Amino acid sequence: MAEVFTSLLLIVAVAFVAPLISWTIPKRLVPEVVLLILGGMLIGPHGLGLAVEDSSIELLRELGVAFLFLMAGYEIDINELRGAGGRHAAIAWLLSLGLAFGAVSVIGVTGGAASANGIAIATAMTSTAIGTILPILRDRGLLPTAVGASILNHGAVGEVGPVIVMALLLGSRSTWASMVILGVFLIITLLIVRFTSRVKRVGRRLVEAIHLGASTTAQTTIRATVLLLVGLCAIAAIFDLDVILGAFAAGFVLRHALPEGDAEFEEKLDGLAYGFFVPIFFVTSGMGIEAGLDAGDLVNLLAFFVLLVLVRGVPVWLASRAERRRDGTRIYSMRQSLQIAVYSTTALPIIVAVTQVAVSAGAMSTSFASTLVLAGVLSVLVLPAAGLALGHRSDHVPANEVMRVVQGPAAPDGRTPEEATAPVGEQVSEPRRPASPPSGIRLPAGERTAATGVRRPAQPDLVGLPDLREQATPAMARQAELGMHARGLSLEESHRLAARLAEIEQDHALWRERWHRARKHGGTSRAARRRRPRGE
């Protein structure tokens, strides 16, 4: 027991030191994940030999990867996957899969492309480490943007697709038996989703009790999440599926239960996942890597990295270039498409998982598996840095605001004409969290209403407050439009976007003024607090 706690102490020490070192590096060019893996290599049996991985640490490691994919599944917007972005991501992944098996056949790996070794190598080439790049995208402010939404789409397909291939082709069962098992698991997941919806409609007292207990020592929302996660992972393990699939399904169910998100809950979940379990997974992954590389291993590492970029990056780039708005213009510029491609090519957790399966089946040597994992580490080190170099401040325009304004004025029921007439699978989802608009964009009220037709929400009766909308000038409006036009939008789209962002900014300013007034005169009433927009 003392050896277990000593190993755990060293693991959590690496987890504590890694982000501190990452913050000292200019622009955080070395992600925390890389430092966690390198720290694991240092303290592991192939390094200094200070820490060992027994069954207890292995259980924490499995929970770490489960929480990693839970968070990834929770960040995915299922409505985005149903739309054009999801279809392009699926097509890009299928193209990557075909290229991967073609590359394995040309190279001539041991056993051939149809062997467990060949399937494992090809599957590893098609993965995207969405769980790994999720904290990076969050730190760089890309999650609520159009670029971030595209990366999440490609990442979701690039995680689920390889897991399904692993279940179908690398398991001990036949392909047809594996398909039946996957179908049963999908039915169970859908039943859990249906049960969740029914509880939200009927079990009001239970839902209220869970919410009330969230702010006490009971922490009922977190306990319910852990129950969901462990339950689906247990079902996946019973069916001899990878726990990654169960964790990803748990994330989707959780997003269905909280479609609008919950800031307090997400903060607690982040603390539990990224504060303890996820770092343990990355550190222990480093502990299992054999650090000694000869010339042949180094050549294999670089070759696999190049194949990873070609097989996964090129199809994602093509898919990004193929995406169009309804008026036929490209959604992403050449620079943004390259940025999406390099982020989506980042791979690691699936490489770790698929190589472990191949090693356990005796189809791949431990040294070659370590080489592939190190290539994944190299992708995490190099590709996010390339994505940062390709970034621009124009990428930080909120995706939900761009889509809403570009699609035109709102209809009487609150939807745009395109949303009202689009098929169910292509409707634009509402934003889960209010986005802060860029500063310096203001339009006069008269021009905004007459020129754009954007429906303005009813304003509160604020007696004595100045009309902040009248502080703008036509020159400022024109400057804002030209600024948006320079970012790749048409003039009409730029005008609509500037109008919408100006409205949001002015609404926030009005509500802040009212709130400060209420506090000055004796505090904010309960009704006023309920009416305050979220995030103020």
Side-chain angles (χ1 to χ4, degrees):
M1 185 61 69
E3 187 180 26
V4 173
F5 273 102
T6 301
S7 299
L8 184 59
L9 173 63
L10 292 169
I11 290 171
V12 296
V14 171
F16 174 73
V17 172
L20 301 181
I21 298 176
S22 178
W23 292 335
T24 62
I25 300 174
K27 296 185 178 181
R28 300 192 67 179
L29 290 177
V30 180
E32 174 190 340
V33 172
V34 175
L35 297 175
L36 290 172
I37 293 174
L38 294 178
M41 294 174 61
L42 180 64
I43 66 174
H46 303 290
L48 299 178
L50 301 177
V52 295
E53 185 178 355
D54 66 351
S55 58
S56 302
I57 302 297
E58 178 65 26
L59 177 60
L60 292 176
R61 169 194 171 89
E62 291 296 320
L63 287 174
V65 72
F67 270 99
L68 180 68
F69 283 89
L70 169 77
M71 301 301 293
Y74 179 70
E75 289 292 342
I76 300 301
D77 189 347
I78 191 65
N79 291 321
E80 289 286 343
L81 289 178
R82 291 172 179 169
R87 290 196 298 271
H88 282 98
I91 293 172
W93 183 80
L94 291 174
L95 179 58
S96 294
L97 186 64
L99 290 175
F101 276 103
V104 169
S105 300
V106 171
I107 294 172
V109 299
T110 304
S115 65
N117 185 42
I119 294 172
I121 296 173
T123 304
M125 291 182 191
T126 65
S127 66
T128 297
I130 183 174
T132 304
I133 63 176
L134 194 60
I136 300 173
L137 297 177
R138 180 176 297 174
D139 291 341
R140 296 177 181 177
L142 288 175
L143 274 186
T145 67
V147 171
S150 180
I151 296 171
L152 289 179
N153 287 338
H154 288 286
V157 179
E159 293 282 19
V160 176
V163 170
I164 294 176
V165 171
M166 288 170 57
L168 292 176
L169 302 181
L170 290 180
S172 57
R173 296 181 294 262
S174 64
T175 302
W176 288 107
S178 299
M179 291 180 64
V180 172
I181 293 296
L182 278 175
V184 172
F185 180 81
L186 177 61
I187 292 173
I188 293 175
T189 303
L190 294 177
L191 289 176
I192 294 175
V193 171
R194 186 176 180 84
F195 173 76
T196 303
S197 301
R198 191 174 185 85
V199 168
K200 289 174 65 177
R201 290 196 305 267
V202 180
R204 294 183 178 178
R205 290 186 178 181
L206 176 60
V207 174
E208 290 175 0
I210 292 175
H211 282 292
L212 288 174
S215 300
T216 67
T217 56
Q219 295 294 323
T220 46
T221 53
I222 296 298
R223 294 189 187 187
T225 302
V226 174
L227 174 63
L228 173 67
L229 173 63
V230 175
L232 281 172
C233 288
I235 294 173
I238 291 172
F239 289 157
D240 197 22
L241 300 173
D242 199 286
V243 296
I244 292 174
L245 191 61
F248 222 101
F252 279 120
V253 174
L254 190 60
R255 172 52 67 193
H256 176 80
L258 296 171
E260 301 299 326
D262 187 294
E264 181 182 0
F265 166 76
E266 290 165 5
E267 185 176 354
K268 295 176 182 178
L269 189 60
D270 284 349
L272 180 62
Y274 295 118
F276 183 66
F277 287 106
V278 173
I280 288 179
F281 164 70
F282 286 116
V283 175
T284 52
S285 297
M287 291 170 56
I289 297 176
E290 294 183 0
L293 295 177
D294 56 22
D297 293 333
L298 187 60
V299 170
N300 290 333
L301 187 154
L302 295 177
F304 183 77
F305 176 76
V306 172
L307 285 175
L308 186 66
V309 172
L310 295 176
V311 168
R312 184 65 180 139
V314 172
V316 171
W317 177 78
L318 292 174
S320 301
R321 295 296 292 166
E323 292 199 42
R324 297 286 194 276
R325 298 186 183 91
R326 287 189 171 89
D327 61 0
T329 59
R330 295 184 188 273
I331 295 180
Y332 305 107
S333 64
M334 175 69 74
R335 177 189 56 78
Q336 289 175 325
S337 297
L338 288 173
Q339 188 181 11
I340 293 169
V342 296
Y343 276 117
S344 301
T345 307
T346 306
L348 185 61
I350 292 295
I351 296 179
V352 174
V354 75
T355 52
Q356 284 181 348
V357 172
V359 170
S360 300
M364 183 182 294
S365 65
T366 305
S367 61
F368 187 73
S370 298
T371 301
L372 297 186
V373 173
L374 284 174
V377 174
L378 183 62
S379 73
V380 177
L381 178 61
V382 173
L383 298 176
L388 180 62
L390 290 168
H392 190 269
R393 60 183 179 180
S394 62
D395 300 330
H396 293 266
V397 176
N400 45 41
E401 297 302 330
V402 171
M403 293 303 297
R404 176 177 294 177
V405 178
V406 164
Q407 290 171 352
D413 60 354
R415 296 180 297 169
T416 64
E418 286 81 1
E419 288 174 340
T421 58
V424 175
E426 296 184 0
Q427 292 180 4
V428 178
S429 60
E430 289 294 318
R432 294 195 294 266
R433 303 178 185 85
S436 299
S439 60
I441 302 178
R442 292 183 175 87
L443 291 176
E447 180 179 347
R448 179 173 57 251
T449 303
T452 67
V454 176
R455 186 168 62 93
R456 180 159 182 81
Q459 291 291 344
D461 185 15
L462 304 179
V463 180
L465 291 182
D467 190 353
L468 300 179
R469 291 168 289 175
E470 296 178 358
Q471 298 176 5
T473 64
M476 294 171 61
R478 182 62 179 169
Q479 183 179 5
E481 291 176 14
L482 292 177
M484 292 299 173
H485 181 60
R487 296 175 181 180
L489 302 178
S490 67
L491 286 177
E492 181 182 359
E493 293 169 349
S494 304
H495 191 87
R496 291 175 179 172
L497 177 59
R500 177 61 181 163
L501 296 179
E503 288 176 359
I504 293 174
E505 185 175 5
Q506 291 150 8
D507 289 345
H508 285 188
L510 289 168
W511 280 112
R512 280 195 296 269
E513 181 66 25
R514 180 175 184 176
W515 183 56
H516 289 310
R517 269 195 154 193
R519 291 190 62 183
K520 185 177 180 181
H521 290 84
T524 308
S525 66
R526 180 177 297 178
R529 286 198 300 268
R530 284 200 301 267
R531 290 194 298 269
R532 279 177 55 204
R534 192 174 173 189
E536 292 296 321

